Amino acid sequence: MTSLSKPKFKQLSVRYILLFMLFMFFFINLNFISNKSLVSGIILVFVTLMSVPSSIQGFKVIFKDINIFLLLFFYWCLFTSFWSEYPLETLLRVIIIFIPSFIIIILVSNEKQKIKLFIKLARVFVICFSILAGIGLLLRIFGNILYINGQRIEVITLGPISISQQLLGIPPFFRITSLTDNPNTLAMWMAFSLTLCVFLYYVGKLSFKLFFFNFILQLSALLLTISRAGIATAIISLLLIYLMTKRRKIIYIIFILLVSIILISIIMSNKNLLILSNYSQLRLSTDLNSRQDAWMPLVEYISNNPFLGTGFGVSFEAILQKKGLEIAAHNVYLIIFSETGLLGGSIFLLFWIYSIIISLFLYKNSRSFRLSKEEHFSVLVCFAFLVALLFHQFFEGKIMRLDFMHFIWIYLISHVSSLYRFKKVAIKDKENKTYSSHYRFKHQWSKDGSLQVIFKN
């Protein structure tokens, strides 16, 4: 009977704690989880207890490099509770967002085989997202439409098991949601998973048949969400990968799949071209779907209170509800600047943009940092998706919220920064060993009493 050594067991535990943590934050964002705050709190306590040994050992990483910006932002968000109208809510939301974020940073830093963790996460989430896409498509094709509490629901019942998704949009061009709360969330997850599919195929961890199956499945679900921001995010991410690598084979496959699905959709809906034309004017226009109604009060608040903000995480209660609005802001930049002021918002943007700069620098200097093929492409994936998220979050507010995409955002930044730090230290150690192997030296005292170092080649 074989037994794992302590270091090996430790690495396995760190890796699987992180896998469990990210998967659970994905799980709680599904629509059948009723009390998300309570479940999130339980997960937070459980993961924190499991991570105590690793967190104690790697705690210092929070004070290094890019993580300093996040730490400063954390302190500032804590300070906003002193002048916030909702101090307790602010404090609790700071804790529930930042503590898991710091745990992810520490766990990623402690993981020695970072690329193996990245590949494992990519495989897990491609499978999960393909299942979500498959459920959404099956419900759209075979589901029965019901009206419950004024909402249009699509249901499939198999014996005692019933699976449903909410439908939005104008019949017959419904926007699917699968097991998520809304089509924009599903679209964001599909955009991320499509990027991971390309990564796994490129590094040889996904055969062409599996790549084709997963890609076309997720792309179909993405298009049926009719989410402009989600589709644009996927295009930006995949286009950046193409421009940076010039992998023509991959982009041709993606282009052919995209055109094929669009053509099939048009052919299937030829009887409803008038409705399609009217609906496309709505979805393909620059209309913000009432987002501007939430944006204007936030812009007004920022202009009147530019320095302090209303308190982290409470812009909805402190600003929007007071204006009689019951809609989310759907703009992470307005949210952060209205809650934390110009100083907090600037630190937040510095953290994000600096991570993009590091990922680009690491990718461009991959030979100097001795990155493997897998590491090289993982950095590109992080760069492409972090840039795409910059655009996406102009129309959504998923970052710095209790949302799966926030923790994925933190993980991508942590992967790049820890890989950069790890490789830089490894190169420096190797150079020191090479130098010491070529030169020998000894100490001796001179006649005047000074210490001399004599090198021998």
Side-chain angles (χ1 to χ4, degrees):
M1 183 177 179
T2 59
S3 60
L4 292 172
S5 62
K6 287 185 179 180
K8 181 71 174 178
F9 178 78
K10 187 176 182 179
Q11 287 305 314
L12 285 174
S13 64
V14 167
R15 190 175 304 171
Y16 287 106
I17 288 172
L18 184 57
L19 280 169
F20 169 79
M21 184 178 182
L22 290 176
F23 179 79
M24 290 307 297
F25 280 116
F26 156 76
F27 183 75
I28 64 172
N29 279 269
L30 300 179
N31 59 13
F32 52 82
I33 304 299
S34 56
N35 196 332
K36 290 181 171 55
S37 299
L38 177 61
V39 177
S40 301
I42 295 171
I43 293 172
L44 176 60
V45 172
F46 182 67
V47 171
T48 302
L49 292 174
M50 287 197 304
S51 307
V52 166
S54 300
S55 300
I56 293 174
Q57 182 188 5
F59 182 75
K60 292 182 180 179
V61 73
I62 297 174
F63 301 93
K64 294 182 179 179
D65 303 327
I66 189 175
N67 299 328
I68 293 176
F69 291 112
L70 186 63
L71 186 64
L72 290 174
F73 186 57
F74 167 67
Y75 286 144
W76 181 252
C77 290
L78 282 177
F79 289 148
T80 61
S81 65
F82 290 113
W83 55 78
S84 174
E85 294 181 51
Y86 304 87
L88 182 59
E89 289 84 352
T90 298
L91 188 61
L92 289 175
R93 289 170 190 178
V94 168
I95 292 172
I96 204 168
I97 295 298
F98 281 93
I99 296 303
S101 301
F102 287 133
I103 290 175
I104 290 174
I105 291 172
I106 293 170
L107 291 177
V108 173
S109 179
N110 286 348
E111 174 61 50
K112 299 299 181 185
Q113 297 177 322
K114 303 181 192 304
I115 191 59
K116 287 188 176 181
L117 173 62
F118 192 91
I119 291 171
K120 191 177 290 293
L121 280 171
R123 283 174 167 168
V124 168
F125 287 120
V126 164
I127 293 171
C128 291
F129 293 137
S130 288
I131 292 172
L132 276 182
I135 290 172
L137 294 175
L138 286 174
L139 285 167
R140 184 78 281 270
I141 297 169
F142 302 107
N144 297 316
I145 298 178
L146 304 175
Y147 291 88
I148 301 175
N149 298 327
Q151 294 182 338
R152 192 181 287 110
I153 307 294
E154 205 161 34
V155 182
I156 290 179
T157 302
L158 300 172
I161 301 174
S162 180
I163 303 175
S164 65
Q165 71 174 347
Q166 183 180 358
L167 294 177
L168 302 177
I170 301 173
F173 304 103
F174 293 116
R175 303 178 64 196
I176 67 170
T177 59
S178 188
L179 300 181
T180 66
D181 291 327
N182 63 71
N184 294 326
T185 298
L186 181 62
M188 183 72 263
W189 292 3
M190 292 301 109
F192 177 57
S193 188
L194 288 171
T195 309
L196 293 181
C197 277
V198 174
F199 164 75
L200 291 173
Y201 175 66
Y202 177 81
V203 300
K205 302 299 181 182
L206 202 64
S207 66
F208 177 75
K209 290 181 180 179
L210 286 175
F211 166 75
F212 183 86
F213 172 77
N214 285 284
F215 197 94
I216 198 168
L217 186 69
Q218 295 172 12
L219 184 60
S220 302
L222 173 62
L223 293 176
L224 287 177
T225 64
I226 319 179
S227 171
R228 294 166 293 181
I231 293 170
T233 300
I235 292 173
I236 292 170
S237 181
L238 295 173
L239 186 61
L240 281 173
I241 291 174
Y242 167 67
L243 293 175
M244 299 290 285
T245 62
K246 297 183 180 179
R247 299 287 296 183
R248 298 184 182 276
K249 182 178 178 181
I250 292 178
I251 203 66
Y252 286 158
I253 293 170
I254 294 170
F255 179 75
I256 291 170
L257 292 176
L258 183 60
V259 170
S260 300
I261 292 175
I262 292 174
L263 288 175
I264 292 170
S265 302
I266 292 174
I267 292 170
M268 292 177 65
S269 59
N270 60 358
K271 295 181 181 179
N272 303 285
L273 289 179
L274 179 61
I275 301 175
L276 176 62
S277 176
N278 294 333
Y279 190 48
S280 65
Q281 290 179 10
L282 176 64
R283 295 305 300 169
L284 297 179
S285 69
T286 56
D287 178 65
L288 296 171
N289 285 357
S290 301
R291 284 181 171 88
Q292 67 273 13
D293 295 337
W295 290 2
M296 293 309 296
L298 294 179
V299 171
E300 182 181 352
Y301 185 88
I302 293 170
S303 61
N304 295 331
N305 304 274
F307 299 109
L308 297 181
T310 188
F312 179 81
V314 296
S315 58
F316 178 74
E317 295 92 335
I319 302 174
L320 298 181
Q321 279 190 335
K322 288 185 177 180
K323 296 289 184 178
L325 297 172
E326 294 295 331
I327 57 175
H330 290 284
N331 186 310
V332 75
Y333 310 109
L334 291 179
I335 291 171
I336 295 300
F337 275 93
S338 65
E339 292 177 353
T340 64
L342 292 177
L343 178 60
S346 299
I347 298 172
F348 168 74
L349 284 179
L350 275 174
F351 175 67
W352 195 338
I353 294 172
Y354 188 42
S355 66
I356 293 174
I357 294 172
I358 287 180
S359 60
L360 181 61
F361 177 79
L362 191 57
Y363 178 79
K364 290 290 187 180
N365 296 275
S366 59
R367 289 187 178 180
S368 301
F369 283 95
R370 300 182 178 95
L371 298 184
S372 65
K373 177 183 176 181
E374 292 85 358
E375 291 171 337
H376 185 224
F377 204 74
S378 73
V379 171
L380 176 58
V381 166
C382 293
F383 167 77
F385 201 73
L386 287 173
V387 172
L389 272 178
L390 275 175
F391 162 80
H392 182 267
Q393 290 303 291
F394 191 81
F395 303 99
E396 293 293 336
K398 302 295 186 181
I399 306 300
M400 287 297 160
R401 287 297 181 265
L402 189 60
D403 189 273
F404 171 70
M405 195 48 62
H406 165 77
F407 298 108
I408 287 296
W409 176 73
I410 287 290
Y411 171 72
L412 294 178
I413 294 175
S414 302
H415 175 73
V416 169
S417 61
S418 63
L419 190 62
Y420 171 77
R421 188 167 52 252
F422 179 78
K423 290 292 182 178
K424 189 168 63 173
V425 172
I427 291 172
K428 189 174 181 180
D429 290 344
K430 191 169 184 179
E431 288 176 350
N432 290 337
K433 289 180 181 178
T434 304
Y435 178 81
S436 61
S437 64
H438 281 80
Y439 294 95
R440 290 177 298 168
F441 57 90
K442 69 176 183 178
H443 299 86
Q444 70 177 25
W445 293 96
S446 63
K447 293 181 179 179
D448 59 358
S450 62
L451 182 65
Q452 293 181 336
V453 181
I454 302 174
F455 290 90
K456 293 184 179 181
N457 207 345

